Amino acid sequence: MSKHHLDYLDELEAEAIHILREVAGQFEKPALLFSGGKDSITLVRLAEKAFRPGKFPFPLVHIDTGHNFPETIQYRDEMIARLGEKLIIGHVQDSIDQGKVVEQKGKNASRNALQTVTLLDTIAAHQFDACIGGARRDEEKARAKERIFSVRDEFGQWDPKRQRPELWNIYNGKIHKGENVRVFPISNWTELDVWNYIRRENIALPSIYFAHERDCITRNGQLMAAAEHLNMDEEDVITRRNVRFRTVGDMTCTAAVESDAYLIDDIINEISASKISERGARMDDKVSEAAMEERKKGGYF
C-alpha cells in the first residue's frame, strides 16, 4: 500500500474520531447502532481509538430481527465479551408480539422493514438523543443526501429538505425535546476505504464476508442463503455454491455473491473490479428507486 493511501486513511480516521468525540461532547445520551456488519465493526475500532483506555461514552445498540445470520450474532456476542462494553438489544419479535407491526406474508416476506418501529421504540425507551451509524455516501443514493449530523423529528422522521450546513468541520447538535440526531462518522468513506482500513488495522470480521460453501436458492435473479426464515416452495431448488456476502442484514433480504475471495486482499481486488454497489445485494432496496429514501423518512437508519 502506498504512503499516499496510508495518509488518506489516516485523514479519514482522524475525521471519524473527531466526530465521535463531538458526539460525546454535545449529547447527553448517545448510542452506537451496531449491526454486526463491517461498517459498524469499523466504528467500534474507531471508538476504541477515540476513547480508550476509558469506557465508551455510549452503549452499543443492536436491533435484532430474529432472522440474522448466526455468524453475525456469534461475532457480536464474542466482541462484546472482549470489549466489556454495554449492549442493548431491541427485538423485532417483541414489536410483533405487541401488535405494533405485522409480519409480512408471501414468498418475499422480510422483517427488515419492521426494524424501524423497534428502533424508534428502543430510542424512546432509553431516551437516546444521538445514534451513531455506519452509513456511507457511496452505498445508496438516499445516503448521499444526508449530513454527518442528521436531525430526526420527534416522530423519528427525516426531512431531506431540513438539513443544516456543515462548514469547516463544525457540527450543530442542538435539538428540541423529543428530537434526536443520527450521526455518520464514516460518511466520507467508501466501501473500498473500509476494506483497506480493516486490512490495515487487522480487524476480525464475521466469517460470512469471506468465500465459503453454502446451500443457496436463486430468487429474483439473486442467490439467497437457504435458511429456515425464507418462505420456500417446490420451485426453490437448493444448490451448494461458493459465495460470500458484501453486506450483512436480515437473511430474508440479503443476497450472496459467488466468490473465491478467501482473503481480504482477494476481496479488495474483487470490489475494485465490481460495477455493482454492495446495496445491489439487498432485495429490499429493489422495491423502487426511492425505497431507501422512503424508509429513512419513516425513521429507518
Side-chain angles (χ1 to χ4, degrees):
M1 188 181 295
S2 68
K3 183 179 184 300
H4 171 76
H5 202 86
L6 279 172
D7 289 344
Y8 178 55
L9 289 177
D10 287 339
E11 289 177 10
L12 289 174
E13 178 189 76
E15 178 189 52
I17 289 172
H18 168 68
I19 293 166
L20 288 170
R21 289 173 175 167
E22 281 291 301
V23 172
Q26 291 195 44
F27 297 95
E28 294 182 6
K29 283 195 169 185
L32 191 156
L33 298 189
F34 183 80
S35 68
K38 66 185 183 308
D39 297 325
S40 59
I41 291 169
T42 296
L43 283 179
V44 170
R45 173 55 59 87
L46 291 165
E48 288 185 273
K49 291 199 171 189
F51 303 113
R52 289 295 191 243
K55 300 282 286 184
F56 292 177
F58 40 68
L60 276 64
V61 175
H62 182 215
I63 304 302
D64 187 352
T65 67
H67 293 171
N68 297 95
F69 288 89
E71 296 95 328
T72 304
I73 300 300
Q74 179 182 347
Y75 179 96
R76 178 199 70 188
D77 294 343
E78 290 175 352
M79 185 199 73
I80 290 297
R82 174 180 62 81
L83 291 173
E85 297 291 343
K86 182 179 181 180
L87 173 69
I88 295 171
I89 304 175
H91 296 279
V92 171
Q93 185 63 53
D94 290 343
S95 299
I96 295 171
D97 293 343
Q98 293 163 11
K100 294 182 176 180
V101 295
V102 178
E103 187 119 42
Q104 294 179 355
K105 306 296 182 184
K107 194 165 185 175
N108 294 315
S110 171
R111 288 186 173 183
N112 197 55
L114 308 185
Q115 293 182 81
T116 298
V117 171
T118 311
L119 171 61
L120 295 178
D121 282 350
T122 303
I123 291 172
H126 295 275
Q127 299 182 320
F128 294 131
D129 53 3
C131 294
I132 303 161
R136 306 183 324 270
R137 287 178 180 161
D138 72 318
E139 59 180 306
E140 203 277 336
K141 293 178 181 177
R143 303 284 202 204
K145 294 182 179 182
E146 293 218 68
R147 300 290 192 264
I148 290 175
F149 273 29
S150 182
V151 178
R152 299 302 202 269
D153 66 20
E154 64 270 27
F155 302 107
Q157 297 176 328
W158 172 64
D159 182 354
K161 296 180 180 179
R162 182 176 165 259
Q163 300 198 74
R164 300 166 175 179
E166 293 179 337
L167 306 175
W168 307 294
N169 294 330
I170 297 174
Y171 307 107
N172 181 359
K174 291 184 178 180
I175 54 175
H176 295 102
K177 185 175 176 61
E179 294 179 334
N180 66 81
V181 173
R182 308 291 171 87
V183 181
F184 307 110
I186 61 171
S187 188
N188 289 325
W189 299 41
T190 66
E191 181 185 11
L192 203 53
D193 293 331
V194 170
W195 277 105
N196 278 319
Y197 189 75
I198 287 168
R199 175 172 63 179
R200 190 185 86 170
E201 297 292 312
N202 195 27
I203 301 172
L205 294 175
S207 59
I208 59 173
Y209 276 113
F210 301 90
H212 59 283
E213 283 194 352
R214 200 178 201 106
D215 287 340
C216 298
I217 64 168
T218 300
R219 180 166 292 179
N220 301 323
Q222 294 191 298
L223 288 173
M224 307 292 294
E228 59 178 333
H229 310 304
L230 287 181
N231 292 334
M232 298 171 60
D233 57 31
E234 62 276 2
E235 294 181 358
D236 293 314
V237 178
I238 298 175
T239 57
R240 194 77 172 169
R241 309 290 279 269
N242 213 52
V243 300
R244 72 176 194 87
F245 294 85
R246 286 179 70 181
T247 180
V248 170
D250 192 302
M251 292 185 75
T252 58
C253 66
T254 306
V257 294
E258 290 196 270
S259 176
D260 292 318
Y262 296 97
L263 303 173
I264 285 184
D265 285 348
D266 300 330
I267 291 173
I268 289 172
N269 291 334
E270 187 177 270
I271 293 169
S272 298
S274 177
K275 296 181 179 179
I276 300 173
S277 75
E278 66 178 302
R279 296 292 302 193
R282 294 294 288 271
M283 301 277 284
D284 51 325
D285 284 349
K286 297 181 179 298
V287 176
S288 74
E289 280 287 325
M292 171 64 81
E293 183 163 333
E294 291 305 312
R295 289 201 305 276
K296 288 170 71 64
K297 288 179 181 178
Y300 185 81
F301 202 81

